[in-house]
Amino acid sequence: MGWRTIIVRTNSKLSYKLGYMLVRNIEETYIFIEEINNLIIESNQCIISTELINQAIKNNINLIFCDEKHSPNSQLIGLNNNYNGPKNLLKQIKWNDEIKEILWQKIIINKIINQSFLLDKYGCLEHELLDEYAKNVEKNDVTNREGHAAKVYFNSLFGKDFNRRDEENETNHVLNYLYSLILSIFNRVLVEYGYNTQLGIWHKNEFNFFNLSCDLMEPFRIIVDDYYLKYKYTIKQKKELQNIFNIDIKINNCNEKLENAIKIFVKQCLNFLNEGDKNQKIPFIEKYEL
């Protein structure tokens, strides 16, 4: 059975009937609900039944709602995805500070090494500088090698005038859209494992409900950047952009679909935090080809 990403762009009525999602617009379409992995509601004129919402939660479907600009702005996650939630929250609150600092160090090393790989792939000589940055990442990245690497990385890939804070830039629109899709998977996986997405190990923004998700997704950002550089899709090509869910990632010497790779990565990071073993390895997101 193949997993599917369903995008609803038109004025439609969505409901549940006998194991299927029924989509009513000009025509009626039935989609077997167990085949749906991601359901993205892009139209603000869409009506969805509470029964379908409940079935989506029961089937662990990643349900995303978009704003008037067709960008993801909310995600529906069930409250009872893991019966160990309260127990895991207590463990999460007690995570050892030094272990969190070491994990963040490992995450940033992974991220910078992959950034270096991508620069090398696209013929940017600056990858050698990022290799040096990766060697000098300290616990909790106290010398901010991540920030220095990011400046070199984005300027090398997109030009000296590129600014990640420029909200009017088309490249940023696409990158942010894809990052939000990846983040939605981390949110769902963390809740599925019974953990709170708000309590991060490095991100601590009081207005960010996804601090921990943002922490753990850092090594996966390169996948978005590479996807954009290879295909040059615009923000209007949503169907093509959402094919990112279907790519393969190499992790622990095995090729896995993106979501499964994220599950493996998150699980081993959580084990690292819970077991408190400084020498324990976390999975490395390895070189790959889109």
Side-chain angles (χ1 to χ4, degrees):
M1 178 179 65
W3 293 110
R4 302 175 63 183
T5 295
I6 305 298
I7 313 154
V8 182
R9 295 192 178 90
T10 59
N11 184 349
S12 305
K13 292 183 179 179
L14 309 181
S15 59
Y16 177 78
K17 186 175 182 180
L18 299 175
Y20 288 84
M21 179 176 76
L22 173 58
V23 182
R24 289 190 179 98
N25 38 51
I26 298 175
E27 300 177 345
E28 289 190 355
T29 304
Y30 287 83
I31 304 170
F32 189 42
I33 199 162
E34 291 185 6
E35 290 185 355
I36 303 173
N37 206 24
N38 303 284
L39 176 57
I40 302 174
I41 311 297
E42 194 171 304
S43 170
N44 284 332
Q45 302 301 315
C46 181
I47 298 173
I48 182 170
S49 72
T50 53
E51 185 178 12
L52 178 59
I53 291 173
N54 282 322
Q55 289 296 329
I57 292 171
K58 288 179 181 178
N59 285 275
N60 203 25
I61 293 172
N62 192 18
L63 182 52
I64 299 172
F65 296 92
C66 296
D67 60 19
E68 68 281 358
K69 296 181 180 179
H70 309 290
S71 295
N73 76 339
S74 62
Q75 178 182 16
L76 189 60
I77 300 175
L79 294 175
N80 301 310
N81 290 51
N82 188 293
Y83 64 89
N84 276 330
K87 177 182 176 181
N88 289 343
L89 177 60
L90 290 175
K91 290 194 295 185
Q92 190 172 351
I93 292 170
K94 296 177 181 179
W95 281 341
N96 179 275
D97 286 340
E98 185 181 9
I99 294 298
K100 289 192 289 185
E101 291 174 357
I102 293 172
L103 179 59
W104 184 244
Q105 177 189 27
K106 291 175 180 286
I107 286 172
I108 295 307
I109 290 172
N110 194 337
K111 178 182 181 180
I112 295 176
I113 288 175
N114 283 328
Q115 287 177 328
S116 172
F117 158 66
L118 197 61
L119 290 186
D120 188 27
K121 177 179 177 178
Y122 286 96
C124 302
L125 297 179
E126 292 84 354
H127 73 90
E128 296 178 354
L129 179 56
L130 265 64
D131 288 336
E132 291 302 313
Y133 285 151
K135 294 176 184 176
N136 294 297
V137 177
E138 299 180 18
K139 282 194 301 186
N140 212 35
D141 190 26
V142 292
T143 58
N144 193 27
R145 296 300 92 185
E146 180 194 18
H148 292 292
K151 181 175 178 58
V152 173
Y153 174 74
F154 282 110
N155 286 344
S156 300
L157 286 179
F158 303 115
K160 298 291 184 182
D161 295 329
F162 180 75
N163 183 351
R164 275 290 292 137
R165 298 180 184 274
D166 182 2
E167 297 182 357
E168 302 302 318
N169 183 280
E170 172 70 12
T171 295
N172 279 327
H173 282 179
V174 177
L175 294 179
N176 290 337
Y177 182 82
L178 290 171
Y179 290 147
S180 67
L181 295 182
I182 300 291
L183 182 66
S184 74
I185 301 177
F186 277 88
N187 294 338
R188 183 177 61 167
V189 169
L190 280 166
V191 173
E192 180 183 338
Y193 287 155
Y195 288 84
N196 186 296
T197 62
Q198 300 176 52
L199 301 178
I201 60 173
W202 188 85
H203 287 88
K204 296 180 175 63
N205 189 324
E206 62 182 303
F207 303 109
N208 184 1
F209 282 85
F210 312 117
N211 285 313
L212 184 57
S213 308
C214 290
D215 287 331
L216 301 186
M217 76 171 281
E218 290 294 348
F220 287 77
R221 288 179 177 270
I222 178 186
I223 298 164
V224 164
D225 306 334
D226 197 6
Y227 191 76
Y228 172 74
L229 287 165
K230 179 171 182 178
Y231 296 109
K232 298 292 185 182
Y233 292 134
T234 68
I235 196 65
K236 294 181 180 179
Q237 294 173 282
K238 295 293 179 63
K239 183 176 181 180
E240 289 77 11
L241 288 173
Q242 282 141 8
N243 283 334
I244 196 169
F245 286 120
N246 299 320
I247 66 174
D248 291 326
I249 303 299
K250 191 173 184 181
I251 184 169
N252 289 349
N253 294 315
C254 296
N255 288 323
E256 302 282 354
K257 287 296 181 186
L258 175 62
E259 181 164 351
N260 201 40
I262 288 174
K263 286 184 176 181
I264 293 169
F265 184 80
V266 169
K267 185 66 173 178
Q268 294 191 8
C269 286
L270 293 173
N271 288 343
F272 183 90
L273 290 162
N274 288 325
E275 294 172 12
D277 182 356
K278 301 175 186 178
N279 298 314
Q280 182 181 342
K281 293 182 178 181
I282 64 169
F284 200 83
I285 308 306
E286 302 175 56
K287 298 178 181 179
Y288 63 95
E289 291 292 336
L290 291 179

